[in-house]
């Protein structure tokens, strides 16, 4: 059992639900807006997460494409779905036993931070690939939405109090 | 007697916890982001090309005046395999390019004696260029196979030259007056009975009056070196450009009164060599300097100083 923030006013499931909802909203622009634009000889192209992964796939980098797709699209969506499931499960029965829900919570909590992969990638590329007119990489607004979604999901997981998964014992 | 204990303040749990402001803010920011992106997008146009080699969806850009004005979104064959359709998304600031009369063409690298064009496309891949039209907004266009003639606004005049052989004249070769370029060779073709070669030249607007009915044309291309016993050695030289690409020169007799200006479409003979006296002709013909003169003229005082002996 965790201590500390568990007792604070911040840590309750309303907060978790609100943050999860905010994260879900931010995932929409994160996926439909370009996250990165790469310039080559003064010519720009912008990629969304999906088009970037698709481009990697077409270029034959299947492994990297799968990693990007998993880390950037599958994981955040599944994590939010898991959180939603937990929040529902804490309110009404029928979503699984407390043991299983707790295990799900552990998984969601663990996986959370790994989704920042994309943000770090964008930050790294922006720093590394700057050759003036020849080629450059610039982060676009989508990456901000993506980072916001990831941070909000992490906060939501943190705000979620797993104790409520267990029936109160008198 | 003890005072009554203070009445405890009972605050109800707020009906709307403050934390719900977070998703609201997220909705606002996310909506604004999407809206901004949508507003940045301009209209979508479809352009039909007979050939679209090098055009790639998502990569090839439309450029106008050297600035990106849109991106190709899809390239596909037209039904019946008669060509290629390109779907292009314009930027919002370039929306007014989607007008009837706009001409689109694909820029390939082109290296010829008349100049190097689109050299950057060797590295970046092809791009699409546009010459905006003036008509009503339109969604569908037919692309040109090659760039439209550069001087669409320049009227000038067109003349035909008749010659026994083409020499080294190519389209784009200069037409020279006193070794100053006043026009260019546009096309060449065989006469109908194939006994002559016809060459179409174009004289730029400010210089049309230089061509008179009595003007003589000769082929100034290449160089020749003649040695004769009596005349000594003689080197025919000309401008470097016409040395490489060939060219046409002409002169107009200075005998007063001057012959009338040659009308559009006049036919002249093209000599292979100028007569000696052609080179001495110096008619006084005013030319109209226009806005299209490439270099600005020097200040008037300087100009008159230069002209005065």
């Amino acid at each position: 059992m965790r201590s500390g923030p568990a007792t604070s006013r911040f840590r309750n499931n309303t907060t978790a639900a609100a943050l999860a909802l905010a994260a879900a909203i931010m995932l929409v622009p994160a996926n439909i807006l370009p996250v990165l634009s790469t310039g080559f000889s003064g010519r720009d192209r912008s990629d969304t997460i999906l088009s970037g992964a698709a481009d990697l796939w077409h270029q034959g980098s299947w492994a990297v494409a799968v990693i990007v797709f998993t880390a950037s699209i599958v994981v955040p969506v599944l994590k939010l779905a898991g959180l939603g499931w937990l929040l529902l499960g804490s309110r009404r029965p029928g979503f699984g036993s407390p043991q299983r829900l707790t295990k799900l919570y552990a998984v969601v909590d663990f996986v959370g931070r790994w989704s920042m992969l994309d943000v770090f990638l964008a930050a790294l590329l922006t720093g590394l690939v700057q050759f003036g007119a020849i080629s450059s990489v610039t982060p676009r607004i989508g990456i901000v939405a993506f980072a916001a979604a990831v941070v909000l999901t992490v906060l939501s997981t943190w705000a979620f109090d797993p104790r409520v998964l267990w029936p109160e014992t008198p | 007697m003890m005072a009554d204990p203070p009445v405890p303040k009972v605050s109800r749990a707020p009906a709307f916890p403050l934390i719900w402001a977070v998703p609201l803010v997220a909705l606002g920011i996310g909506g604004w982001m999407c809206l901004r992106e949508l507003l940045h997008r301009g209209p979508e146009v479809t352009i039909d090309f007979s050939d679209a080699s090098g055009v790639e969806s998502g990569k090839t850009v439309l450029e106008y005046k050297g600035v990106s004005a849109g991106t190709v979104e899809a390239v596909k064959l037209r039904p019946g395999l008669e060509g290629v359709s390109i779907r292009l998304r314009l930027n919002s600031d370039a929306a007014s390019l989607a007008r009837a009369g706009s001409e689109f063409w694909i820029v390939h690298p082109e290296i010829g004696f008349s100049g190097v064009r689109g050299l950057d496309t060797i590295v970046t891949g092809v791009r699409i260029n546009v010459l905006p039209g003036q008509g009503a907004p339109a969604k569908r266009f037919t692309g040109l196979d090659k760039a439209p003639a550069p001087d669409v606004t320049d009227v000038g005049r067109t003349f035909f030259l008749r010659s026994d052989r083409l020499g080294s004249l190519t389209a784009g070769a200069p037409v020279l007056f006193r070794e100053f370029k006043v026009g260019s060779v546009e096309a060449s073709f065989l006469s109908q009975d194939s006994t002559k070669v016809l060459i179409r030249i174009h004289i730029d607007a400010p210089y049309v009056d230089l061509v008179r009915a009595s003007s003589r044309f000769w082929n100034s291309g290449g160089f020749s070196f003649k040695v004769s016993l009596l005349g000594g050695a003689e080197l025919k030289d000309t401008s470097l450009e016409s040395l490489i690409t060939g060219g046409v020169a002409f002169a107009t007799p200075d005998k007063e009164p001057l012959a009338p200006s040659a009308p559009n479409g006049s036919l002249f003979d093209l000599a292979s060599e100028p007569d000696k006296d052609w080179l001495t002709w110096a008619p006084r013909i005013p030319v109209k300097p226009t806005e299209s003169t490439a270099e600005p003229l020097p200040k008037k005082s300087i100009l008159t100083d230069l002209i005065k002996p």
Side-chain angles (χ1 to χ4, degrees):
Chain A
M1 179 70 61
R2 286 196 187 192
S3 60
T7 49
S8 82
R9 278 173 61 199
F10 177 73
R11 199 152 189 202
N12 66 69
N13 289 349
T14 311
T15 309
L19 291 172
L21 181 66
I25 290 169
M26 286 318 270
L27 264 188
V28 176
N31 279 292
I32 64 171
L33 296 183
V35 289
L36 212 58
S37 73
T38 44
F40 177 62
S41 290
R43 175 158 310 196
D44 279 336
R45 67 168 289 187
S46 302
D47 276 309
T48 62
I49 294 173
L50 194 61
S51 78
D55 199 49
L56 283 168
W57 182 272
H58 286 305
Q59 284 171 11
S61 315
W62 297 309
V64 186
V66 167
I67 290 175
V68 168
F69 185 76
T70 312
S72 314
I73 296 179
V74 178
V75 168
V77 169
L78 280 185
K79 210 171 54 182
L80 266 182
L83 261 176
W85 187 273
L86 284 174
L87 285 165
L88 286 172
S90 68
R91 295 215 161 191
R92 54 194 73 166
F95 285 89
S97 65
Q99 285 90 345
R100 298 185 102 184
L101 286 178
T102 306
K103 207 167 265 176
L104 176 63
Y105 171 76
V107 170
V108 167
D109 190 34
F110 172 76
V111 150
R113 62 211 77 177
W114 291 99
S115 288
M116 284 304 253
L117 194 73
D118 267 44
V119 181
F120 288 133
L121 186 76
L124 257 179
L125 283 177
T126 308
L128 286 177
V129 191
Q130 290 294 353
F131 302 108
I134 301 171
S135 72
S136 64
V137 171
T138 327
R140 295 286 302 273
I141 194 124
I143 201 77
V144 177
F146 187 81
V150 173
V151 169
L152 285 168
T153 320
V154 170
L155 284 178
S156 170
T157 322
W158 184 63
F160 183 78
D161 186 352
R163 283 177 301 183
V164 297
L165 296 173
W166 298 83
E168 280 182 52
T169 42
Chain B
M1 192 168 164
M2 273 173 70
D4 285 335
V7 184
K9 273 196 224 162
V10 180
S11 58
R12 280 195 302 140
F16 186 81
L18 200 62
I19 195 71
W20 287 103
V22 175
L24 275 180
V25 169
L27 193 66
I29 294 176
W32 171 75
M33 283 174 168
C34 294
L35 195 72
R36 213 181 68 135
E37 190 71 12
L38 276 179
L39 288 179
H40 183 65
R41 289 175 148 203
E44 191 184 86
V45 296
T46 309
I47 311 166
D48 295 332
F49 284 102
S50 58
D51 181 295
S53 52
V55 176
E56 286 176 85
S57 61
K59 284 186 183 165
T60 306
V61 294
L62 171 74
E63 279 193 9
Y64 178 59
K65 289 190 186 290
V67 171
S68 166
T71 315
V72 171
E73 287 198 334
V75 183
K76 57 184 173 199
L77 285 170
R78 270 155 68 200
L81 303 177
E82 61 207 357
V84 185
S85 264
I86 289 177
R87 214 175 67 223
L88 204 145
R89 168 75 65 185
L90 294 172
N91 297 345
S92 62
D93 53 349
S96 54
L97 289 175
R99 288 171 168 278
S102 285
E103 290 178 315
F104 296 85
W105 69 95
I106 300 173
V107 180
H108 295 277
E110 213 176 288
I111 302 174
F113 284 123
S114 55
V116 178
R117 254 172 270 157
L119 195 60
D120 54 328
T121 57
I122 291 180
V123 185
T124 58
V126 303
R127 61 163 183 267
I128 300 174
N129 268 16
V130 60
L131 199 65
Q134 303 291 330
K139 290 267 168 220
R140 197 169 189 101
F141 299 91
T142 305
L144 306 176
D145 286 336
K146 57 180 185 178
D151 298 316
V152 274
T153 51
D154 183 1
V155 230
R157 265 179 213 169
T158 302
F159 300 109
F160 292 92
L161 305 177
R162 191 168 48 190
S163 172
D164 285 337
R165 58 196 73 246
L166 185 59
S168 53
L169 288 179
T170 51
V175 175
L176 306 169
F177 183 79
R178 298 181 166 276
E179 289 173 21
F180 176 79
K181 185 176 171 183
V182 295
S184 55
V185 172
E186 280 191 336
S188 54
F189 32 89
L190 276 175
S191 66
Q192 280 189 331
D193 56 358
S194 70
T195 55
K196 294 274 184 188
V197 177
L198 288 176
I199 298 146
R200 197 174 76 218
I201 62 167
H202 181 264
I203 303 292
D204 297 338
Y207 311 112
V208 289
D209 280 343
L210 293 175
V211 184
R212 303 281 167 153
S214 58
S215 292
R216 301 297 176 131
F217 287 79
W218 70 91
N219 191 334
S220 71
F223 65 97
S224 62
F225 187 64
K226 271 192 286 192
V227 186
S228 65
L229 216 54
L230 296 175
E234 188 181 311
L235 176 69
K236 171 190 165 195
D237 67 328
T238 175
S239 77
L240 187 65
E241 189 186 0
S242 65
L243 191 70
I244 299 167
T245 64
V248 171
F250 70 95
T252 299
D254 48 7
K255 202 172 69 182
E256 298 285 345
L258 291 172
S261 275
N264 200 23
S266 304
L267 181 67
F268 294 92
D269 278 320
L270 182 69
S272 57
E273 297 262 330
D275 285 356
K276 269 267 161 61
D277 55 331
W278 296 1
L279 300 175
T280 62
W281 290 343
R284 289 182 177 274
I285 301 171
V287 292
K288 306 164 207 149
T290 59
E291 297 283 331
S292 66
T293 314
E295 286 165 39
L297 291 167
K299 275 183 189 160
K300 202 177 179 185
S301 60
I302 307 173
L303 201 67
T304 46
D305 284 352
L306 279 173
I307 291 167
K308 276 178 194 160

